[in-house]
Amino acid sequence: MNGEHSQKRFASGVTALTLSVIAVKMIGLVYKIPLLKILGAEGMGYFNAAYEIYALFFVISTAGLPIAVSILVSESLAVGKGRNVDKIHRVSFALFAVVGVIGSLVMGLGARAFSAFLETPKATMSILAISPTVLLVCISGAMRGLFQGYQNMKPTAISQVIEALGKLVLGLLFAALAARAGHSPRLCAAYAALGITVGSLLSTVYLLVSRPVVDFACPDTLRLTETDPTRHILHRLMLLAIPVTLSTSLSGLTRVVDMSMIFRRLGRIGYEGTVLASMYGSYSTLAVPLYNLPSSLVAGISLSLVPTLTEAAEAGQERQCTELVETSLRMCLFLSLPCSVGMALFARPILSILFAGEDSSIAIAAPMLSVLAFSVCSSCLMGVTNAILQAYRKAMLPIFSMLVGVAVKVLTAYILMGVPSVGIYGVAISTLVCNTVTVGMNLYFIDRYTNVKYNLIKLSVPSMLSSFLSVGIAFWIWRLLCDRMNLPTLGFLLSVLLAALLYFLVGGKMGVYGSCEVRMLPGGEKMLTLLMKLGCIKRKDIKNEQRGYNQGASVEAEI
């Protein structure tokens, strides 16, 4: 595997997934506003109850299996077992279908019991309407795992957008028609949930149709090797999928810890129930979604890294592994550090623009978001380090790291929230401690159990300095515009543009990013040309980078 070619495939995959995530997030934001107007608060309650049940089944059914398939496919290609890929696909497809059928049946037949457990009995129809989606996402997961194993991320990205658009257009259309026909809120919510099912169906059909059309670029010689036994493939799938699923489920456990601590710990030191509900509502509705946004954007790096790094590691290309890991970490820091600093300084104007009119909630959430923003970088690094360990078949280690991190979070939150002067901010501080401990342990495991060598301080310091400098100047400009010209919204938008421009200019001079990182961004080639004209990236640096990849591939081939 040529190093430069692998880097380009990796960059292309990250770009495709990043664009799809941005599109899906924007569609989700657009979707919720009109849906609330159609369903009302009551109907949204039924819809959200059904969606929470679906989300649980979704994580259990699909969190680890696509990654497991992509790892097995990458391993087979790396060692020349091309025919084994077809068998992996058949076995995983059958396994996913069985899991999906069971999940859909359990969710559908247990709809009444689930709605009773959530104390929303009128959500039964919505749960029934969304239950077939479990089967559809399982089938989609099998297809996405195959594509990702070949490091072809475009079908995954496109299918995600199709699914989101189906939810937006069809969900709103069905709900609006039901409301116009005079149906009850619970039935309108069920029609909105049906839109999610149809959107998933369209996404699944696209992936199935893409299977024979997409060129997998597998040489004929790779198709002439023997295949692994079915039992061995099933065993490997479970061995890889279960740890990833557990790790994903554990990350969701932190939300339960936050809710429990806010209501129980603060209640014991004198906070009233209505005040606690208001504080938790502001924290979970305003602060947490913004905190999670950067990590979802960086998720494309982790998803694209697993199959690419697996193939390089299986082929024994240590230099290429180091290049991939360094590129992933640098890209993660390049994106997350300015987000972290910007969110900490601009928490109030960001919330004021997004949630205009919710002054009381913003007053509670803004300080919490500022504290929570310091955890953005570690949250993003957690995903990348998890992916590195998964690629090296050490998927159990991130679970251990997360368990220790959650335990530290519980202890930290319990102690800090008992201090009246800290109060609810103890939740945000405990998140930072939890993420730092988890990432620290992951980095230790990477150093101990892999041959990858990198210097995290050397990678992070330039990004950190550039972030503080560019965002700090932009914040000063914003304050100036607010105080002297009373233009808070326009001033904020101008300040963000200024911060981005300064970050690219200063970061380029300080070596924060290279040509590979720029190519991963949407419109990266045009941006790279512009940055070269501005002198941030020099043509000789790109040539040296490419020469290094080619030399590394030659040396490894000789070895």
Side-chain angles (χ1 to χ4, degrees), residues 109-429:
L109 296 175
R112 191 178 299 276
F114 286 124
S115 60
F117 174 76
L118 294 174
E119 298 183 357
T120 52
K122 292 184 178 181
T124 302
M125 290 294 294
S126 297
I127 297 174
L128 281 170
I130 205 174
S131 60
T133 309
V134 179
L135 171 60
L136 296 171
V137 296
C138 282
I139 295 174
S140 297
M143 300 304 302
R144 288 169 179 170
L146 175 67
F147 288 119
Q148 289 161 201
Y150 277 96
Q151 300 173 38
N152 185 345
M153 303 297 166
K154 291 182 180 179
T156 296
I158 294 172
S159 66
Q160 289 174 344
V161 175
I162 291 174
E163 185 176 336
L165 280 173
K167 178 178 72 172
L168 171 68
V169 177
L170 298 175
L172 291 178
L173 177 63
F174 294 164
L177 290 175
R180 183 176 297 179
H183 292 300
S184 62
R186 67 173 178 175
L187 194 57
C188 292
Y191 275 104
L194 184 62
I196 296 178
T197 301
V198 179
S200 298
L201 175 62
L202 295 175
S203 173
T204 304
V205 170
Y206 164 77
L207 289 168
L208 291 172
V209 171
S210 299
R211 170 66 175 90
V213 175
V214 173
D215 179 18
F216 289 105
C218 182
D220 292 337
T221 54
L222 294 181
R223 300 192 177 102
L224 303 177
T225 56
E226 74 277 1
T227 61
D228 294 334
T230 301
R231 182 179 299 179
H232 174 73
I233 293 174
L234 285 172
H235 177 71
R236 288 294 315 282
L237 281 172
M238 292 295 97
L239 202 63
L240 291 167
I242 291 175
V244 177
T245 302
L246 289 174
S247 179
T248 305
S249 301
L250 280 173
S251 63
L253 181 62
T254 58
R255 293 194 294 270
V256 179
V257 171
D258 288 344
M259 182 173 65
S260 175
M261 286 293 176
I262 289 174
F263 281 98
R264 295 185 180 183
R265 186 61 171 154
L266 292 181
R268 290 179 181 176
I269 63 173
Y271 284 85
E272 296 180 358
T274 54
V275 175
L276 290 176
S278 177
M279 293 173 70
Y280 178 71
S282 300
Y283 174 75
S284 60
T285 305
L286 278 67
V288 173
L290 284 172
Y291 158 72
N292 288 329
L293 185 59
S295 58
S296 65
L297 295 177
V298 175
I301 299 174
S302 304
L303 197 59
S304 187
L305 176 64
V306 172
T308 313
L309 184 58
T310 297
E311 186 176 348
E314 193 69 22
Q317 297 177 332
E318 294 183 7
R319 178 187 174 89
Q320 181 60 20
C321 291
T322 299
E323 295 285 356
L324 287 168
V325 169
E326 284 190 346
T327 299
S328 301
L329 291 173
R330 186 183 292 110
M331 187 65 181
C332 178
L333 293 166
F334 170 63
L335 292 174
S336 64
L337 279 171
C339 289
S340 180
V341 178
M343 205 174 286
L345 292 177
F346 288 101
R348 187 173 293 276
I350 292 173
L351 292 175
S352 298
I353 292 173
L354 294 177
F355 302 94
E358 301 291 337
D359 295 340
S360 59
S361 297
I362 292 172
I364 297 172
M368 288 192 286
L369 179 59
S370 293
V371 178
L372 203 58
F374 290 99
S375 305
V376 166
C377 183
S378 56
S379 176
C380 294
L381 283 173
M382 195 188 307
V384 175
T385 53
N386 283 351
I388 295 170
L389 291 170
Q390 289 161 9
Y392 276 93
R393 307 183 191 177
K394 302 294 181 182
M396 288 300 297
L397 295 178
I399 297 177
F400 180 69
S401 301
M402 180 63 75
L403 282 172
V404 174
V406 171
V408 172
K409 176 181 177 63
V410 171
L411 180 62
T412 305
Y414 184 84
I415 294 173
L416 292 178
M417 293 178 72
V419 180
S421 59
V422 178
I424 195 171
Y425 298 108
V427 171
I429 297 171

Side-chain angles (χ1 to χ4, degrees), residues 399-482:
I399 297 177
F400 180 69
S401 301
M402 180 63 75
L403 282 172
V404 174
V406 171
V408 172
K409 176 181 177 63
V410 171
L411 180 62
T412 305
Y414 184 84
I415 294 173
L416 292 178
M417 293 178 72
V419 180
S421 59
V422 178
I424 195 171
Y425 298 108
V427 171
I429 297 171
S430 68
T431 298
L432 174 61
V433 176
C434 170
N435 292 352
T436 303
V437 169
T438 304
V439 171
M441 293 184 66
N442 281 353
L443 292 172
Y444 169 75
F445 291 142
I446 291 171
D447 182 63
R448 180 172 179 178
Y449 294 107
T450 73
N451 295 322
V452 175
K453 302 299 178 184
Y454 57 91
N455 189 331
L456 187 62
I457 295 177
K458 184 178 178 180
L459 292 173
S460 60
V461 169
S463 293
M464 193 178 300
L465 293 175
S466 300
S467 298
F468 277 109
L469 179 63
S470 57
V471 178
I473 292 174
F475 182 75
W476 177 75
I477 296 292
W478 174 75
R479 293 294 305 174
L480 194 65
L481 291 173
C482 287

